[in-house]
Amino acid sequence: TREELRQKETSKKLDADILALALPAFVALACDPIASIVDSIWIGKIGAVELAGTGIAIAILNIVVRLFNTPLLSVTTSVIAKAYADPNEDIGKGASVAIELGIVSGIVQ
């Protein structure tokens, strides 16, 4: 029926929208470990002590990044979702708050 076709079209569009959001996020999440591996390979050519120091530095960097990014992600997601769901809220204001939080978090890191 016509309703089923409209639901299938909506579902396909939703799938495409989710993929458009998920793919860049996946690539961004994959870049950090790949960069760490490349760093380790190049520094490993220098020596074992340098490689050990790099391993510790990468571990500390990952902890610091997770301490800042996880709360930032949670807060900005909820701010944007609230602005999107409430017709009286300005989504641009929610996006501005999320961007400001990201900038402050980036400076602190």
Side-chain angles (χ1 to χ4, degrees):
T1 65
R2 185 175 262 175
E3 181 64 29
E4 289 174 346
L5 288 174
R6 190 167 56 226
Q7 285 179 348
K8 284 183 182 180
E9 278 184 24
T10 303
S11 177
K12 286 182 182 180
K13 183 177 179 335
L14 186 60
D15 289 345
D17 289 345
I18 290 171
L19 184 62
L21 289 171
L23 190 60
F26 173 76
V27 171
L29 287 172
C31 285
D32 187 41
I34 291 170
S36 296
I37 290 170
V38 171
D39 289 345
S40 297
I41 290 170
W42 281 100
I43 294 174
K45 292 180 179 184
I46 298 172
V49 174
E50 291 81 1
L51 183 60
T54 302
I56 293 169
I58 289 172
I60 292 170
L61 175 68
N62 285 335
I63 290 169
V64 169
V65 167
R66 301 293 183 268
L67 284 174
F68 281 97
N69 286 352
T70 302
L72 177 66
L73 178 64
S74 299
V75 170
T76 55
T77 301
S78 63
V79 166
I80 295 293
K82 181 177 179 257
Y84 184 77
D86 187 0
N88 297 326
E89 277 286 323
D90 180 18
I91 196 161
K93 183 179 178 186
S96 295
V97 169
I99 291 170
E100 290 169 5
L101 286 170
I103 291 170
V104 169
S105 176
I107 290 171
V108 171
Q109 281 186 22

